[in-house]
Amino acid sequence: MGEVIVITSGKGGVGKTTTTANIGTALALEGKKVVLIDADIGLRNLDVVMGLENRIVYDLVDVVEGTCRLKQALIRDKRFNGLHLLPAAQTRDKNAVTPAQMQKLCEELKQHFDFILIDCPAGIEQGFKNAIAGADKAVVVTVPEVSAVRDADRIIGLLASNELPNPLLIVNRLRMDMVKRGDMMDIDDTIDILGVDLLGVVPDDEKIIVSSNRGEPAVTEDSSLAGQAYRNIAKRLLGEDVPLMNLQTEETFMDKLRKLFSGKNKKKH
Amino acid sequence: MALLDFFKFFGKEENKSKDIAKERLKLVLIHDRANVSPKFLDLIKGDIIKVISNYMEIDETGLDIRLSRIEQEDDNYTSALVANIPIKRMKNIGKNNG
Ligand SMILES: Nc1ncnc2c1ncn2[C@@H]1O[C@H](COP(=O)(O)OP(=O)(O)OP(=O)(O)O)[C@@H](O)[C@H]1O
Ligand SMILES: [Mg+2]
């Protein structure tokens, strides 16, 4: 029996689709049978991030409306064994699907796959309600900014009142250089405020954009820090105890000088 | 570099933007969390009535409890839970325990 995980955030553009694509691919690379569902009806994106846009024949709405069989709509990713995509409809709106239909779909997919990852649309309206309906577990993606964290808090509350308490948090686009000079909230700040468990931290990495240009998830790129972070996250979802990556960059001479004079190096008595 | 800037450069960085972000978030979330759940204040209300009733008889219909922002001396605002609890009569406990 598989597990259904919804990737959500509240605020738009913080990295839900990127996260879904990368965790899904990483899980497939770990030998799991995975299906990614794009629940962002009307604004589908997961297909292009995955580089599968030319293979779409049927979509999620076709499946729930019975226009095609579920199997016909699943696109098998030939690059990664076990990975599949169920694309969103582009010409319909969120009301084309109901929570009950999503639930039924998830139940069916659970019979055949180890992981069902749902890429949730931004917002808290119908699309959100559909995306979380069949989920067993929720992952909340945020970036270390006031508005995104505030929206994440709202989503965490809504998830709790929809029988999805204790979601796992991913802090995306962390910039260590900014954290270091005190211009970005660090991980502890963010967890402290939201009061949820951390699933992983993904650094801001231009390789994410390069890989979405190519339609190849960053987890396939050994040298990508973000790719590494997503591989670690996938391992944690599989129950492995993987420590957080060291995102620390080398201390510059100026950093050292500043530390010395601000007394942070002094021993406390 | 002026002397003052020099000290600012090496000294404790006080107005770090991340600290400002954190403080603002904490405050805004106090209100968000209380407002999204209408039950939240009712739950507190119920518990307060329970506790206070051990010591005094209160007018439950006149009880008013809400979250508000209070201005501090330094022009900053802080959140406060403000309760207005009309008392009808004191119970005898206070007297006996003296
Ligand atoms: N770790 C990262 N480093 C650099 N760029 C990133 C990172 N994560 C996401 N991005 C970029 O941010 C943009 C938004 O990402 P994405 O589409 O995954 O967000 P989303 O939450 O799915 O957005 P929407 O709410 O519109 O569905 C993309 O251009 C993506 O390439
Ligand atoms: Mg998206």
Side-chain angles (χ1 to χ4, degrees):
Chain A
M1 193 72 161
E3 189 175 34
V4 182
I5 306 176
V6 62
I7 318 291
T8 181
S9 71
K11 187 170 160 61
V14 299
K16 294 176 293 296
T17 303
T18 306
T19 297
T20 309
N22 278 286
I23 297 181
T25 307
L27 285 170
L29 291 172
E30 293 280 332
K32 298 293 161 191
K33 283 195 82 181
V34 182
V35 58
L36 312 177
I37 305 181
D38 189 346
D40 204 344
I41 300 172
L43 282 172
R44 80 174 169 214
N45 267 328
L46 191 51
D47 55 337
V48 286
V49 172
M50 291 296 300
L52 295 171
E53 68 276 15
N54 290 327
R55 301 205 23 223
I56 299 178
V57 182
Y58 296 109
D59 57 48
L60 174 61
V61 175
D62 293 323
V63 173
V64 299
E65 287 181 347
T67 313
C68 69
R69 280 175 294 115
L70 174 55
K71 254 197 141 168
Q72 290 176 290
L74 292 178
I75 300 167
R76 194 175 62 84
D77 193 323
K78 292 170 187 159
R79 300 162 299 177
F80 313 107
N81 211 356
L83 187 60
H84 299 74
L85 171 71
L86 179 54
Q90 182 70 326
T91 54
R92 303 290 293 273
D93 67 58
K94 320 268 182 212
N95 299 315
V97 175
T98 68
Q101 286 170 329
M102 283 301 286
Q103 239 165 355
K104 188 167 157 267
L105 175 68
C106 290
E107 285 308 316
E108 197 174 339
L109 286 168
K110 270 156 94 164
Q111 313 294 324
H112 307 286
F113 293 90
D114 300 314
F115 286 95
I116 297 99
L117 302 185
I118 304 179
D119 181 14
C120 182
I124 54 175
E125 315 300 330
Q126 187 63 32
F128 169 74
K129 288 175 190 151
N130 287 337
I132 66 168
D136 304 311
K137 199 191 228 174
V139 168
V140 174
V141 182
T142 191
V143 294
E145 285 177 48
V146 175
S147 54
V149 174
R150 179 193 197 177
D151 289 359
D153 188 78
R154 179 97 164 88
I155 286 296
I156 290 166
L158 286 172
L159 288 169
S161 52
N162 283 282
E163 289 161 44
L164 286 167
N166 315 317
L168 298 169
L169 185 73
I170 292 180
V171 179
N172 190 21
R173 309 198 72 159
L174 190 79
R175 285 185 51 183
M176 267 330 278
D177 56 330
M178 292 189 70
V179 168
K180 241 187 194 167
R181 55 171 200 260
D183 277 331
M184 183 177 271
M185 285 183 286
D186 60 32
I187 300 307
D188 290 338
D189 294 333
T190 314
I191 300 177
D192 178 36
I193 286 169
L194 292 175
V196 288
D197 289 333
L198 185 69
L199 178 60
V201 179
V202 182
D204 194 77
D205 182 355
E206 58 181 51
K207 294 238 168 70
I208 290 285
I209 294 166
V210 175
S211 73
S212 70
N213 287 343
R214 298 185 196 278
E216 291 163 5
V219 286
T220 57
E221 173 102 31
D222 284 340
S223 65
S224 161
L225 271 183
Q228 175 69 50
Y230 280 123
R231 286 194 293 274
N232 289 348
I233 288 172
K235 291 205 171 100
R236 287 185 200 115
L237 285 174
L238 292 171
E240 272 182 58
D241 187 13
V242 190
L244 283 184
M245 252 161 65
N246 183 14
L247 297 172
Q248 212 72 31
T249 43
E250 277 293 300
E251 246 180 292
T252 62
F253 173 71
M254 282 315 245
D255 287 335
K256 282 184 184 147
L257 209 61
R258 242 190 224 115
K259 250 191 191 168
L260 196 69
F261 279 87
S262 65
K264 277 181 195 154
N265 276 355
K266 277 182 203 148
K267 276 193 187 135
K268 287 189 188 106
H269 292 285
Chain B
M1 195 187 273
L3 194 60
L4 235 150
D5 287 341
F6 182 83
F7 278 114
K8 210 159 144 196
F9 182 79
F10 285 118
K12 258 177 46 197
E13 300 138 73
E14 263 171 10
N15 263 330
K16 285 196 238 160
S17 76
K18 79 128 184 185
D19 292 329
I20 300 170
K22 214 175 146 181
E23 278 319 302
R24 291 178 55 219
L25 255 171
K26 279 184 178 164
L27 284 181
V28 83
L29 289 186
I30 290 172
H31 287 261
D32 280 3
R33 286 175 187 172
N35 290 335
V36 294
S37 161
K39 271 185 249 157
F40 176 79
L41 283 178
D42 280 342
L43 286 174
I44 296 184
K45 207 166 166 175
D47 279 353
I48 287 184
I49 292 176
K50 236 187 283 168
V51 173
I52 306 255
S53 298
N54 290 332
Y55 304 94
M56 52 194 88
E57 210 173 286
I58 59 176
D59 172 15
E60 289 184 24
T61 52
L63 188 145
D64 175 33
I65 171 164
R66 65 203 142 80
L67 268 183
S68 79
R69 288 180 214 269
I70 293 183
E71 197 175 348
Q72 291 174 310
E73 287 160 18
D74 55 4
D75 276 357
N76 275 327
Y77 284 82
T78 180
S79 289
L81 186 68
V82 179
N84 208 324
I85 310 170
I87 304 168
K88 282 186 181 159
R89 193 168 59 87
M90 297 301 281
K91 292 195 171 169
N92 280 336
I93 303 169
K95 198 164 68 186
N96 293 344
N97 280 0

